[in-house]
Amino acid sequence: MAIARDRARGDALGWSHGAYAFNRISDRDRVHLVHELMQAWHAGTALDREVVAGAFRQAWDSEPYLYGFRAGNYFTAAARYGADVSTSRLLEAWASAMMMPDEKAEMAALEFPCTAYRGGTGEPAGVASGTSWTLNPDTARFFANDWPRRWGSTARPVVLSLTVDRSDVLAFFDDRNERELLLSGDVPRAGFEIVEP
């Protein structure tokens, strides 16, 4: 029991170190770091799973501003600037490790199937293809209406709902109170329904 407790403490410490290191560098350096970590993982390089998971979590939750423009999250920016690794493939391998212990417990307690929501702008099928969904319809409405307007978008807001099973969900993140579900790229999205934004 003590060995398991020490291992859990060491894992949490490694995760925290990765998150801390990521936050200590500039936006451009963060994009470069995520790019290099993605490439190293793709090449089969041995990586410290806990440290990299902490850095990846910060990369997922943060948005770079490069050359005066918002660039999505750091995975999007790394892909845009040359990473040839599929973000969905990487998330399949890393999303669970990116969760904090309380999020793992909360995900284990969720009842499935459940309804997930996604907000965005544009064509519904394009919005449905995204990885990030939420258990909270108000969060989806925020990403369909308020968030795009902050960046000058005049595209049509769209809110979708989709029934998902536990096997569809890669991870549950709630550090920003968004009750975010990361869905596997293999989940069929054709069954979505349009909800009033």
Side-chain angles (χ1 to χ4, degrees), residues 8-191:
R9 263 192 224 119
D11 291 351
L13 188 60
W15 197 98
S16 297
H17 283 259
Y20 178 78
F22 181 85
N23 287 324
R24 298 285 298 165
I25 58 180
S26 72
D27 275 355
R28 284 179 41 199
D29 288 341
R30 289 175 187 165
V31 172
H32 181 72
L33 173 65
V34 171
H35 176 271
E36 292 299 310
L37 290 173
M38 290 173 81
Q39 295 298 115
W41 170 76
H42 183 65
T45 304
L47 299 170
D48 184 312
R49 188 153 179 87
E50 288 77 27
V51 172
V52 173
F56 276 166
R57 176 59 180 272
Q58 296 304 304
W60 184 260
D61 283 349
S62 307
E63 298 181 41
Y65 297 89
L66 302 170
Y67 311 108
F69 297 98
R70 181 176 156 266
N73 64 32
Y74 284 90
F75 290 99
T76 304
R80 196 173 291 157
Y81 294 105
D84 58 3
V85 179
S86 161
T87 300
S88 61
R89 276 194 46 237
L90 183 122
L91 288 174
E92 294 277 345
W94 286 91
S96 178
M98 291 162 57
M99 286 193 292
M100 292 182 267
D102 57 332
E103 293 168 335
K104 290 179 181 181
E106 192 165 350
M107 183 171 160
L110 290 175
E111 292 187 23
F112 290 91
C114 67
T115 301
Y117 302 87
R118 181 166 167 80
T121 58
E123 291 302 313
V127 173
S129 68
T131 302
S132 289
W133 291 68
T134 178
L135 295 171
N136 185 338
D138 290 333
T139 299
R141 286 186 191 94
F142 171 79
F143 283 106
N145 295 294
D146 301 336
W147 189 249
R149 285 190 199 124
R150 289 182 185 184
W151 304 103
S153 174
T154 57
R156 179 177 69 126
V158 176
V159 177
L160 307 174
S161 68
L162 182 70
T163 301
V164 297
D165 289 313
R166 184 175 302 277
S167 60
D168 300 332
V169 179
L170 299 174
F172 171 79
F173 296 157
D174 199 30
D175 60 324
R176 297 179 296 183
N177 297 315
E178 292 178 2
R179 302 190 55 73
E180 179 181 14
L181 297 176
L182 298 190
L183 299 190
S184 166
D186 297 334
V187 175
R189 307 293 208 275

